[in-house]
Amino acid sequence: QLAEFDLYWMEESCQAEYPDELAQIRRAIGVPMVIGEATYTKTGFRPLLEKRAADILNPDVACVGGILELKEIAAMAESFLVAVSPHNYNSTLVALASTVHASATMPNFIITEYFLPFVEFCDRISPNQLKPKDGYIALPTAPGLGVDVDEAALARHPGKVYPQRKLRHPADEH
């Protein structure tokens, strides 16, 4: 029933720890399946690929261990004919710049996330944050990742501790 809506993909239909179930759902729905934003290691992606549980993986550079690990996950996926759409919820500055650089090396890259709520904040701490133009982000040419961080401006905005998320249970429903 979902295929008739021409969805680009179905995301996280169940937890990545259940690759057999994900593969079953993938075969049944007729919509490309994406998984991986909460998978943090290459070994975590392996069963998803082996079980053919996804059409697209979305590892997050800030969670999987950086640029090299993201590239290695993409290389693993490429051998299974699986695309990569890096998750990028964490930042429109350093993590995005890391994702853009890594994505430029991936033959199986299709699209990345750009998290709009962080744009205004990152404008205050970086004079050259990466921004899409006509739907694309240009690969930076400046040294390093191509973005600068105004550390004094960053220090004026200390981090916040957020409560750990948990899965809802029927008892949580009122």
Side-chain angles (χ1 to χ4, degrees):
Q1 291 176 341
L2 292 173
E4 72 181 274
F5 297 106
D6 196 29
L7 301 174
Y8 193 73
W9 67 41
M10 171 65 79
E11 184 169 342
E12 306 281 340
S13 61
C14 75
Q15 293 172 294
E17 291 81 9
Y18 300 100
D20 290 319
E21 289 76 7
L22 280 165
Q24 181 181 359
I25 294 167
R26 178 182 173 256
R27 285 190 302 272
I29 65 173
V31 173
M33 177 76 71
V34 65
I35 189 77
E37 71 181 54
T39 304
Y40 303 127
T41 64
K42 284 184 292 212
T43 56
F45 284 95
R46 183 177 174 182
L48 298 171
L49 293 167
E50 290 174 340
K51 301 284 186 168
R52 303 271 184 206
D55 298 285
I56 305 161
L57 298 183
N58 64 338
D60 192 310
V61 71
C63 297
V64 298
I67 293 171
L68 180 59
E69 193 80 358
L70 179 61
K71 288 175 52 175
E72 290 176 353
I73 291 165
M76 287 172 43
E78 183 184 5
S79 68
F80 285 89
L81 304 176
V82 171
V84 175
S85 174
H87 183 256
N88 194 57
Y89 170 80
N90 298 295
S91 162
T92 54
L93 192 59
V94 177
L96 177 65
S98 299
T99 296
V100 167
H101 280 280
S103 298
T105 70
M106 297 175 192
N108 52 340
F109 168 78
I110 53 172
I111 192 172
T112 193
E113 188 171 28
Y114 186 84
F115 199 64
L116 292 172
F118 293 144
V119 173
E120 184 180 324
F121 170 73
C122 289
D123 277 339
R124 293 185 295 217
I125 64 167
S126 177
N128 58 346
Q129 108 172 266
L130 305 179
K131 293 184 179 177
K133 182 176 181 184
D134 299 325
Y136 295 90
I137 297 174
L139 188 62
T141 57
L145 292 175
V147 295
D148 295 310
V149 178
D150 179 341
E151 293 184 33
L154 184 60
R156 291 190 293 272
H157 304 281
K160 298 176 186 174
V161 176
Y162 291 96
Q164 184 175 4
R165 295 186 300 176
K166 66 177 188 127
L167 291 175
R168 291 184 59 81
H169 296 279
D172 298 327
E173 301 294 326
H174 301 293

